[in-house]
Amino acid sequence: MDTASTDSTPANEVPDEPIPAMQQLLDNPFLLLFLGIAMPTVLYIVWGVMEIVGIPIAK
Amino acid sequence: MAVNRNFRVCPSTGLSYHEPAEKLMRWNAVAAVVSLLVGGVLAVLIVLTRWQAVHLLPPDWFYLLLTAHGLDMLVFWIIFFEIAVLYFCASTLLRCRLAAPNWAWAGFWLMIVGALVNNVAVFRGDSSVMFTSYVPMGAHPAFYLGLILFAVGALIACFVFLGTLAVAKSEKTYHGSVPLVTFGAITAAIIAIFTIASGAIILIPTFLWSVGLIGHIDSLMYRTVWWAFGHSSQQINVAAHVSVWYAIAAIVFGAKPMSEKVSRTAFLLYILFLQLASAHHLLADPGLTSHWKIFNTSYAMYLAVLASMVHGLTVPGAIEVAQRQKGYNKGLFEWLRKAPWGNPSFSAMFISLIGFGFLGGISGVMMGTEQLNLIIHNTIYVPGHFHATVVIGTTLAFMGLTYFLIPTLFRRELMFPGMAKWQPYVFGLGMAGFSLFMMGAGTLGVPRRHWDITFAGNPLAYDGWAGGTAWLMIAAMAICGLLATVGGAMYLLITVGSVFLGKRIATPDFAYVKARDGVAPTMKPVEVAFEAHGSNIGTAGFVAPGTFVLALVFLLSFVLYYFVNWKYLSTVWPLS
Ligand code: HEM
Ligand SMILES: [Cu+2]
């Protein structure tokens, strides 16, 4: 895209300036969903369960 | 099958309601209020039992009703209302048809059946296991089954919400980013999906155990996974009520967020870190290492706490800016003095914000510190803390939103407007006293979930509760709690009265209008306030000095309280 006035962009959207990466992340609910599940699953559940499983059983 | 594309535009707010979405929001809201009614009646009986001087119920009834109160309030009231909020934020705010209304109805009825089955199990009397239902304490299988059905229904609702976002994007009902309030709802839905998945991981085996198909469930394993469900569900509430704060600021003041970027980043911190704080429920459990505990409750949780402080500042900050632009620009606090304190949506929202921050937030950070947790673990301090968060914070915010929804969603005039003016104060201040005195009694060591703390008639009878101070705290707690139930009854009277008997708001040319793809009906003032926009006005200098002062007061209280508790720890646990 050479100029800001190309017809490929709809009239009511800002034609220039690429969307920043952070905004692309925030605009993508499914990516956020992935992150929101992955973080606690790994850091809380998996790590916690591994610790519990590692406790030696009393004889 | 033909897709229903019928919309109506609310004449006073300009919001558009999709016909099936509107009906679903109403039914979910009604189911929520019915649950609140049941839970509220139980609250009166429980308070009158914990008030040692009255000691109303016998022990088996106390534990039974306490179980039912926890579930009807924290699970059924809150989640039904949240589903209504999710549909509002996706369908109404994005002016988009609800994706898959039939699925949404299936979800709704599953939730209704689940709530009923669970309540029946509890009221039969053999499931008084508290809402945490720790194994090896066992409930009737219907107890777990009801919860599972309810959770499946709620999960379907979350997917209908996400589906609606996808429809809105593909049918281009909005441009750019979704409004901030909708973004907050996305946060809530994401946390809800993790919450429900964790619930399934633990409740399905527990159900199988209750019917004899599984021989043993490790109790620490249960507690760890259960709290991924039990705590995270509280974070759905936080994300939801913060969104409601932003919404009410937009509705009442036309306030725009001080910085979209900052607020959205704060919600992102919730998505990433809030759920890890579940570990604070296991701080006193042996078996999990301090690495796991401290990582999840300190490093990670403080990022989430930071996000709450950001919201706690940007919401009043946005209101301050809006008020100053209207000319209430004198001194530090004219904007606040001249706020519409008689508008119950505003007063409920503001009390919710202050109560959540000062009472719930500060006590939560204190309790979430591994060492300090020892002081109050399993004392009545804990319900003191969470009545400040889920009752003053979430419940009161939802009450404030209700006053807005009755005319626009139910198209009824508010009944008893004079009473509505007072309702947030009676409920909010009653609850604030209730929480504070509970925390006071807990600091003295009074246990939670306990029918008789004197153990009268037993060999180990004890009534040395800090020389009477604890008795005083408990009595004051009960009186404030009863005051709060009066406030709750006022809310129920107003909402049930308005919705079923209130005067219909007549709209002369009322009609559902069929919308074409991509056509957004014209906007009215309230709706414009919800729109996303890019301007950052809150960065240069002090545009909101009053809020800045409030923040300093908050920080000071926080630091003082935190250190007082370290001092206290050194006296309750003498090492020398
Ligand atoms: C005026 C309103 C209310 C009053 C007076 C009240 C009172 C009480 C009392 C006295 C307890 C027992 C504490 C103990 O013995 O450990 C309790 C527990 C509880 N309440 Fe409330 N409550 C009210 C509203 C709510 C609301 C709106 C919610 C949720 C949104 C809620 C959630 C809970 C939960 C989860 C428990 C703990 C149950 C358990 O330990 O298993 N309450 N409440
Ligand atoms: Cu928690």
Side-chain angles (χ1 to χ4, degrees):
Chain A
M1 204 182 289
D2 46 0
T3 57
S5 57
T6 8
D7 281 329
S8 61
T9 30
N12 44 11
E13 264 166 41
V14 186
D16 39 35
E17 284 194 56
I19 299 174
M22 185 66 170
Q23 191 176 342
Q24 286 187 24
L25 166 68
L26 294 177
D27 280 346
N28 187 338
F30 296 95
L31 190 54
L32 294 173
L33 175 65
F34 172 77
L35 292 175
I37 306 265
M39 287 284 288
T41 303
V42 172
L43 292 171
Y44 177 89
I45 296 191
V46 173
W47 182 6
V49 166
M50 273 166 48
E51 287 198 344
I52 298 170
V53 173
I55 301 171
I57 307 277
K59 294 204 186 71
Chain B
M1 207 181 67
V3 175
N4 181 332
R5 289 180 195 281
N6 289 346
F7 285 83
R8 73 168 172 93
V9 176
C10 169
S12 48
T13 59
L15 294 168
S16 341
Y17 291 93
H18 178 224
E19 195 177 14
E22 178 180 22
K23 213 166 175 188
L24 276 153
M25 284 181 232
R26 289 186 185 176
W27 280 72
N28 275 287
V30 168
V33 170
V34 172
S35 314
L36 183 70
L37 169 66
V38 177
V41 171
L42 303 177
V44 177
L45 301 171
I46 298 168
V47 169
L48 288 176
T49 307
R50 285 239 51 169
W51 190 355
Q52 197 81 29
V54 179
H55 216 45
L56 181 70
L57 300 170
D60 47 348
W61 274 102
F62 172 75
Y63 293 111
L64 190 160
L65 297 190
L66 184 54
T67 307
H69 170 76
L71 287 159
D72 283 329
M73 289 300 209
L74 200 57
V75 182
F76 304 137
W77 142 249
I78 296 235
I79 295 184
F80 273 121
F81 200 95
E82 274 161 359
I83 302 299
V85 170
L86 286 187
Y87 291 162
F88 180 84
C89 290
S91 170
T92 305
L93 293 187
L94 298 181
R95 294 186 295 276
C96 176
R97 69 183 170 86
L98 194 73
N102 290 339
W103 277 101
W105 281 112
F108 174 75
W109 288 111
L110 271 175
M111 288 168 71
I112 292 282
V113 171
L116 287 175
V117 167
N118 177 273
N119 264 287
V120 169
V122 173
F123 279 96
R124 279 165 45 100
D126 55 0
S127 301
S128 302
V129 292
M130 308 290 112
F131 80 107
T132 40
S133 54
Y134 289 147
V135 300
M137 206 165 40
H140 189 276
F143 177 94
Y144 309 107
L145 187 65
L147 284 179
I148 293 168
L149 293 177
F150 183 86
V152 173
L155 190 62
I156 293 175
C158 290
F159 283 115
V160 170
F161 168 81
L162 290 177
T164 306
L165 295 181
V167 170
K169 199 172 182 87
S170 75
E171 296 186 356
K172 296 206 172 56
T173 66
Y174 67 96
H175 303 295
S177 307
V178 298
L180 181 62
V181 175
T182 305
F183 191 74
I186 294 176
T187 306
I190 290 172
I191 300 177
I193 291 171
F194 173 76
T195 301
I196 296 169
S198 312
I201 298 175
I202 198 61
L203 287 175
I204 292 175
T206 310
F207 169 70
L208 296 175
W209 167 76
S210 73
V211 294
L213 289 174
I214 287 183
H216 170 77
I217 291 184
D218 179 73
S219 62
L220 182 56
M221 195 73 95
Y222 178 95
R223 289 162 66 83
T224 305
V225 184
W226 192 90
W227 278 112
F229 160 73
H231 177 79
S232 304
S233 66
Q234 303 327 302
Q235 314 308 357
I236 314 172
N237 305 344
V238 173
H241 76 229
V242 169
S243 310
V244 169
W245 293 346
Y246 281 111
I248 291 180
I251 292 164
V252 176
F253 298 94
K256 300 200 188 269
M258 298 175 74
S259 158
E260 287 275 347
K261 205 193 291 173
V262 168
S263 297
R264 280 173 206 251
T265 308
F267 276 122
L268 178 65
L269 289 178
Y270 277 177
I271 294 175
L272 297 176
F273 298 111
L274 202 49
Q275 306 157 72
L276 304 179
S278 306
H280 63 209
H281 295 275
L282 296 141
L283 287 174
D285 280 60
L288 290 155
T289 62
S290 287
H291 298 283
W292 181 84
K293 289 178 184 170
I294 290 181
F295 177 81
N296 281 293
T297 59
S298 296
Y299 300 113
M301 191 181 84
Y302 293 154
L303 291 172
V305 170
L306 177 75
S308 284
M309 299 207 303
V310 167
H311 293 307
L313 283 184
T314 54
V315 174
I319 294 177
E320 178 171 356
V321 169
Q323 286 280 81
R324 284 182 188 277
Q325 281 167 352
K326 278 182 207 139
Y328 301 120
N329 207 10
K330 260 189 261 131
L332 275 179
F333 289 116
E334 191 194 20
W335 62 277
L336 195 56
R337 276 199 320 276
K338 298 275 170 70
W341 293 100
N343 174 342
S345 287
F346 168 73
S347 59
M349 172 257 157
F350 207 80
I351 298 172
S352 159
L353 188 140
I354 298 291
F356 179 77
F358 278 85
L359 298 178
I362 293 180
S363 61
V365 172
M366 189 285 271
M367 303 163 75
T369 307
E370 187 178 9
Q371 299 88 327
L372 298 180
N373 183 271
L374 289 179
I375 308 176
I376 51 77
H377 186 74
N378 264 349
T379 68
I380 204 164
Y381 188 100
V382 179
H385 155 76
F386 69 67
H387 281 80
T389 56
V390 295
V391 188
I392 308 182
T394 312
T395 300
L396 192 52
F398 288 179
M399 288 174 167
L401 185 66
T402 311
Y403 295 125
F404 168 73
L405 288 180
I406 286 175
T408 170
L409 177 62
F410 289 92
R411 298 205 304 279
R412 301 275 190 166
E413 275 176 20
L414 208 61
M415 256 192 171
F416 314 117
M419 191 195 286
K421 248 185 209 173
W422 287 100
Q423 189 275 334
Y425 297 96
V426 178
F427 187 77
L429 300 181
M431 250 311 139
F434 178 76
S435 299
L436 269 174
F437 287 118
M438 265 189 164
M439 291 189 219
T443 310
L444 299 173
V446 175
R448 72 181 287 198
R449 294 176 163 172
H450 214 295
W451 175 68
D452 178 15
I453 55 174
T454 67
F455 298 93
N458 290 296
L460 291 174
Y462 176 72
D463 63 3
W465 286 108
T469 318
W471 297 126
L472 195 64
M473 294 274 185
I474 290 282
M477 164 202 103
I479 291 165
C480 292
L482 292 175
L483 182 65
T485 55
V486 171
M490 289 160 76
Y491 169 79
L492 289 166
L493 193 67
I494 296 163
T495 47
V496 176
S498 312
V499 166
F500 293 103
L501 306 169
K503 199 168 142 226
R504 277 183 197 281
I505 296 177
T507 323
D509 47 358
F510 173 81
Y512 283 100
V513 179
K514 207 173 162 99
R516 276 178 293 122
D517 287 11
V519 170
T522 48
M523 285 188 265
K524 288 264 176 65
V526 168
E527 210 197 4
V528 172
F530 280 113
E531 282 296 293
H533 65 108
S535 69
N536 279 350
I537 45 176
T539 41
F542 287 121
V543 284
T547 303
F548 185 70
V549 170
L550 284 181
L552 288 183
V553 173
F554 177 80
L555 276 182
L556 191 69
S557 330
F558 189 168
V559 169
L560 273 179
Y561 186 69
Y562 194 70
F563 284 103
V564 164
N565 274 285
W566 281 100
K567 180 84 181 70
Y568 186 49
L569 178 66
S570 71
T571 64
V572 293
W573 194 21
L575 291 175
S576 54

